[in-house]
Amino acid sequence: MMVTRVFSGIQPTGTLHIGNYFGAVRNWATMQDDVESIICIVDYHAITIDIDPKTLRHASLAMATDLIACGIDPEKTILFVQSDVPAHTELSWILGCVTSFGDLSRMTQFKDKSEKQAFVSAGLFTYPVLQAADILLYLADGVPVGEDQVQHLELSRRIARRFNSRFGELFPEPKPVVGEKGARIMSLSDPGAKMSKSTGESHYVGVMEPEASIRKKVRSAVTDMGLEAGHEMSPGVANLFEVLELSVESTGETGLVEELRADFENGTLMYSKLKDAVFEQLMAIIRPIQEHRAQLEASGEVLDMLHSGAQRAQAIASETIARARSMVGLGTRAD
Ligand code: TRP
């Protein structure tokens, strides 16, 4: 990997599902051993749409607990809550002034999200500027994100370039870091759509969900009529194989996938067998994560971990913001 410092953000709202886990969180946990890693729970982004204050505070802590349980080690990774480092918003203002209105108007995520809101806030429109600030504040050169964030990242690079050419070299241009397996898990009940918590309970498997409920969801996953040699694999079955393959990467049971694939080719695969395998392999990953989460909750130490994460983040952020302020000519204290 050719990057030296990676930064990624995750919204605190919503349950962590296996799509997030295989698509992002597991890669972050692997990466933290090789490269300086910063993971931010983006609560300032969360308020771009209507959210209850109590829900938000609880969600930020819950997301941090989930991430640590999933293997983000707060000793290795700088893990913190965005609003604990207020420089994010200060840099965001400055960067907003080198962001083109036209560029922001072309953001597809804004178009999608604003259609779903009765009240469309200016914050929702400038969301990508804050995202650029998140990344650039730490001079990060790599951003591990999924496909859906590529456009935002492209804008972050344009913003960095415009700042640098106007005020002088400060920001590296952040590159997307895509996992070798661009894991894209589909909904269990509608395999044509990406797994997402917003489409409803039956569509996703939550990492912290009770075992019985996971079993039920996997068992009722959409497949096809099956049992016909050489027939084309339907999206639902392909998705189950994808989940299985991603799971055995951690459990090491690769032989199982080969066996089931061979059965499929021969037209002898009972989907109930495939589903049982998916369930077992998933649970082999999920069980220890859930146990770790319970320990973390009982110990009550996550808040302290977040505070020390914020301090480490602050140390980097305050240097960058001081340089940015001075390059732009802000304030009365010249240095
Ligand atoms: N917009 C990202 C998402 O919805 C979250 C995010 C905020 C982010 N700031 C970031 C991702 C900085 C990467 C880098 O998933």
Side-chain angles (χ1 to χ4, degrees), residues 79-283:
L79 175 69
F80 71 107
V81 174
Q82 189 184 32
S83 64
D84 282 340
V85 182
H88 287 250
T89 48
E90 186 177 358
L91 185 60
S92 180
W93 178 262
I94 297 174
L95 297 182
C97 300
V98 292
T99 304
S100 131
F101 179 85
D103 282 351
L104 279 182
S105 312
R106 282 186 285 276
M107 293 291 119
T108 54
Q109 195 159 317
F110 172 73
K111 290 181 197 161
D112 294 346
K113 283 192 184 172
S114 59
E115 271 167 20
K116 296 183 191 126
Q117 305 299 319
F119 171 77
V120 179
S121 71
L124 192 62
F125 185 67
T126 55
Y127 179 114
V129 181
L130 179 58
Q131 180 163 347
D134 293 342
I135 301 163
L136 301 181
L137 190 55
Y138 299 94
L139 309 179
D141 53 1
V143 183
V145 282
E147 273 289 305
D148 61 333
Q149 293 299 314
V150 167
Q151 197 188 24
H152 282 168
L153 207 54
E154 171 70 22
L155 180 67
S156 297
R157 282 196 295 279
R158 286 170 70 83
I159 293 173
R161 275 199 292 273
R162 194 167 292 117
F163 182 98
N164 290 347
S165 69
R166 226 166 109 178
F167 301 111
E169 240 0 86
L170 176 58
F171 301 119
E173 287 182 26
K175 293 180 284 289
V177 181
V178 186
E180 305 129 48
K181 269 211 136 183
R184 189 175 143 90
I185 296 192
M186 311 306 280
S187 152
L188 293 183
S189 55
D190 174 14
K194 194 178 157 187
M195 182 175 284
S196 147
K197 53 117 195 153
S198 55
T199 37
E201 269 290 321
S202 68
H203 292 264
Y204 68 90
V205 171
V207 177
M208 302 304 167
E209 211 170 301
E211 182 159 343
S213 152
I214 297 181
R215 182 187 286 114
K216 212 166 133 203
K217 284 185 183 177
V218 172
R219 287 217 172 129
S220 42
V222 169
T223 52
D224 55 53
M225 305 300 284
L227 288 189
E228 190 194 318
H231 83 289
E232 206 183 314
M233 199 182 274
S234 65
V237 176
N239 191 41
L240 286 171
F241 269 109
E242 174 77 11
V243 175
L244 188 63
E245 250 164 22
L246 288 163
S247 304
V248 302
E249 268 179 41
S250 291
T251 64
E253 301 275 350
T254 43
L256 187 60
V257 190
E258 281 159 33
E259 183 194 316
L260 293 171
R261 278 207 188 276
D263 287 354
F264 177 85
E265 294 307 325
N266 298 330
T268 56
L269 177 63
M270 301 291 282
Y271 291 145
S272 57
K273 192 174 163 197
L274 173 63
K275 287 174 172 178
D276 284 348
V278 168
F279 170 72
E280 291 300 336
Q281 296 302 308
L282 257 184
M283 285 316 299

Side-chain angles (χ1 to χ4, degrees), residues 54-67:
K54 277 208 205 74
T55 310
L56 177 58
R57 176 147 317 120
H58 176 260
S60 295
L61 183 61
M63 180 54 80
T65 313
D66 287 355
L67 293 175

